Amino acid sequence: MEPFPELPQSVRLTEIAPGYPVLEVRHPRCTARVALHGAHVMEWQPVSADFPVLYLSPDAIYQEGKAIRGGIPICWPWFNAHPSDPSQPSHGHARTHFWELDAADADPLGVHLCLSFQHGDLTAFVDILLGETLAVSLHTTNHGNHPVPLSGALHTYLAVAAAEKVQIDGLDGDLYLDTVGPRTERIQEGLVFFDREVDRIYENDSSALLVDADLERVVVVEKEGSPSTVIWNPWIDKARALGDLPDDGWRDFVCIEAAIANDRAIILAPGGSHTLTTTIRVEDH
Ligand SMILES: O=P(O)(O)OC[C@H]1O[C@H](O)[C@H](O)[C@@H](O)[C@@H]1O
């Protein structure tokens, strides 16, 4: 490990399991927790919100090699299965390894963390801005001599009052691949509802809004550098099959993922780079 950078007063280093460091943020604009494992934003709550914005599973596993269930897993440098090698882990290596913390700063608007991770010829730098708004920017650079396909996702778990009562706006008219059952292409008509397992890859490069009338709020998820939006809720049976999620945990979140899904992979030329960003804020409903 590199020497640890000096931390501002609003950031404290803790260990939630032996050898598993987490940065705890207490700032006038927000509270948050960020694990060095996966550069994973586990929690974020701006002072204006009276309920956490991100969902974190109470059964999440804090162990090197296991992705944290909840928060914002960084799926990198690919999304879902590896494009050609089925022995590689789903959603890449970034979410199951410790990252280096390169810098931590604070100003009156919030806290800024920079972390990095290397995989083969690719380097990832992530900038995390934690304030009244949360912004996660993932910069990838190809340092090798060959073009490399890049996909991935900022796989955001958003806390909700009850999944079956929320809707997602902003995807009306978009083509999507429905990956539940036989993979089928469809066009979204109106709002997205959750009344069954939902696992869809939308062709969409703009924002989506999570409307949660029970919590009297709308969570706005904006993004850049992302040609796909993935919407996921495992529903009842899949939640039971996931060991790190309570059986009824499916009700407590929906995922809106700023993604570059496999078939929209970007080919990074030698020396080339790409930035994938998601920005999250809460508005009154
Ligand atoms: O269980 P994980 O490997 O974390 O994946 C969780 C989910 O990620 C994405 O949303 C995919 O679209 C889903 O198919 C997958 O089930």
Side-chain angles (χ1 to χ4, degrees), residues 186-215:
R186 303 180 203 277
I187 301 282
Q188 179 64 38
E189 288 177 23
L191 302 170
V192 179
F193 293 90
F194 298 87
D195 56 1
R196 70 197 71 185
E197 181 186 351
V198 171
D199 194 354
R200 302 176 183 172
I201 302 171
Y202 285 84
E203 291 205 359
N204 177 289
D205 60 6
S206 56
S207 27
L209 281 77
L210 170 66
V211 183
D212 193 331
D214 285 20
L215 292 182

Side-chain angles (χ1 to χ4, degrees), residues 82-163:
H82 185 274
S84 56
D85 180 355
S87 71
Q88 295 285 331
S90 175
H91 292 330
H93 292 281
R95 65 178 187 156
T96 52
H97 288 81
F98 286 106
W99 290 47
E100 293 290 340
L101 179 67
D102 299 327
D105 304 295
D107 64 22
L109 293 179
V111 165
H112 178 204
L113 304 174
C114 298
L115 298 102
S116 57
F117 178 72
Q118 178 115 23
H119 176 71
D121 289 336
L122 298 181
T123 307
F125 283 97
V126 71
D127 281 312
I128 303 174
L129 290 165
L130 301 146
E132 193 55 48
T133 295
L134 166 64
V136 179
S137 265
L138 177 66
H139 313 281
T140 305
T141 304
N142 178 3
H143 294 286
N145 299 320
H146 304 282
V148 179
L150 172 72
S151 60
L154 301 169
H155 188 313
T156 306
Y157 287 70
L158 295 167
V160 295

Side-chain angles (χ1 to χ4, degrees), residues 67-70 73 75 79-80 90-91 95 153 155 157 179 197-201 230-234 238 242 244 255 257:
I68 300 170
R69 180 72 61 196
C75 305
F79 178 73
N80 267 339
S90 175
H91 292 330
R95 65 178 187 156
H155 188 313
Y157 287 70
T179 68
E197 181 186 351
V198 171
D199 194 354
R200 302 176 183 172
I201 302 171
V230 176
I231 306 292
W232 182 59
N233 179 279
K238 207 164 222 175
L242 293 171
D244 53 359
C255 289
E257 307 168 34

Side-chain angles (χ1 to χ4, degrees), residues 1-6 100-103:
M1 255 202 187
E2 298 290 313
F4 213 72
E6 202 178 317
E100 293 290 340
L101 179 67
D102 299 327

